[in-house]
Amino acid sequence: MNLLLLSNSSSDAGYLVHALADIRALIADLPAGAPAIFVPFAGVTRGWDDYGALVAEALADTGLDLQSLHRAADPVAALEQAAFIIVGGGNTFNLLGELRRRGLLEVIARRVRAGVPYLGWSAGSNMACPTICTTNDMPITDPGGFDALGLIPFQINPHYTNAHPPGHRGETRAQRLAEFCAKNPAMPVLGLPEGTGLRVHGAAMTLVGPHDATVFLGQQAPRACAPGALDMRA
């Protein structure tokens, strides 16, 4: 498989600008004008037309022929013909629910396992995991189950930070992930801070970006992983 799973899409540099070099590497083998499908269903307060236009503008220099999936007359056929699948961020529960109701989960998983490059950020990165149980999002809608695409054998927590503002009495992100690990002791979690991403190319996994990521597993102490080759084993 050929995946790029980003923590975030926006930065001070602009939309997807910080990740463009890695995106170009992801699709280096695609010809100019290759058909790309953008999945906008994580958008809730952002309209899908606006979301599709934003991503098309950000990726205009790649030369791809990008279509937003909600505009496709036959979504299954559009995914079957796509040379590149992009899944945007927003609300993970809404994204999963829309994909499940439209019968598109299996189609995306099969196409990506067959080698079609997959780009996701935030909710789109959560979707590549076995479940969406380590998303940061509120369950604003019932997605009909938590199982996701299962493209990687571990969980991702995008936008990872362990910040704890003075006076805040709620749990830190690390405490919330420790709860997940207590209930799922054999399932690793990769905490991706802003500006970082996971590149999967065949059997190789690489942490891209300028910051360390954090791996959580069972009762073990969280461990930092530097950019470069990534080993999720204990």
Side-chain angles (χ1 to χ4, degrees), residues 13-143:
Y15 201 78
L16 292 175
V17 171
H18 71 287
L20 277 177
D22 293 308
I23 294 171
R24 290 192 177 99
L26 177 71
I27 59 174
D29 294 334
L30 298 185
I37 286 293
F38 171 62
V39 179
F41 301 145
V44 178
T45 55
R46 172 181 282 159
W48 293 345
D49 284 339
D50 292 340
Y51 203 175
L54 176 66
V55 173
E57 181 180 2
L59 299 180
D61 288 347
T62 64
L64 298 169
D65 180 12
L66 191 145
Q67 178 186 24
S68 188
L69 189 58
H70 78 288
R71 286 290 186 179
D74 186 339
V76 172
L79 288 167
E80 294 285 9
Q81 296 162 13
F84 184 27
I85 296 174
I86 307 163
V87 183
N91 186 278
T92 313
F93 293 90
N94 201 66
L95 170 62
L96 179 56
E98 291 286 346
L99 289 175
R100 180 168 282 124
R101 284 188 287 273
R102 296 165 190 254
L104 301 177
L105 282 171
E106 185 277 333
V107 181
I108 294 174
R110 174 169 48 78
R111 295 287 288 139
V112 176
R113 290 194 179 101
V116 173
Y118 178 102
L119 169 64
W121 55 85
S122 192
S125 294
N126 284 131
M127 280 302 303
C129 300
T131 74
I132 65 165
C133 290
T134 52
T135 180
N136 304 306
D137 302 330
M138 287 187 177
I140 61 171
T141 185
D142 182 356

Side-chain angles (χ1 to χ4, degrees), residues 70-234:
H70 78 288
R71 286 290 186 179
D74 186 339
V76 172
L79 288 167
E80 294 285 9
Q81 296 162 13
F84 184 27
I85 296 174
I86 307 163
V87 183
N91 186 278
T92 313
F93 293 90
N94 201 66
L95 170 62
L96 179 56
E98 291 286 346
L99 289 175
R100 180 168 282 124
R101 284 188 287 273
R102 296 165 190 254
L104 301 177
L105 282 171
E106 185 277 333
V107 181
I108 294 174
R110 174 169 48 78
R111 295 287 288 139
V112 176
R113 290 194 179 101
V116 173
Y118 178 102
L119 169 64
W121 55 85
S122 192
S125 294
N126 284 131
M127 280 302 303
C129 300
T131 74
I132 65 165
C133 290
T134 52
T135 180
N136 304 306
D137 302 330
M138 287 187 177
I140 61 171
T141 185
D142 182 356
F146 297 148
D147 290 349
L149 295 172
L151 301 175
I152 57 175
F154 54 87
Q155 293 292 128
I156 286 175
N157 178 245
H159 310 289
Y160 176 73
T161 174
N162 203 35
H164 199 191
H168 180 69
R169 304 305 177 189
E171 290 80 0
T172 64
R173 188 77 57 79
Q175 288 171 322
R176 288 301 192 197
L177 292 177
E179 293 175 342
F180 173 86
C181 290
K183 289 294 187 179
N184 303 272
M187 178 61 72
V189 182
L190 179 65
L192 284 177
E194 303 295 62
T196 66
L198 175 67
R199 180 80 164 88
V200 179
H201 196 190
M205 294 192 300
T206 307
L207 180 66
V208 299
H211 306 299
D212 290 358
T214 304
V215 174
F216 300 83
L217 178 62
Q219 299 301 310
Q220 299 177 19
R223 60 182 172 91
C225 294
L230 181 67
D231 187 351
M232 290 294 293
R233 295 172 296 182

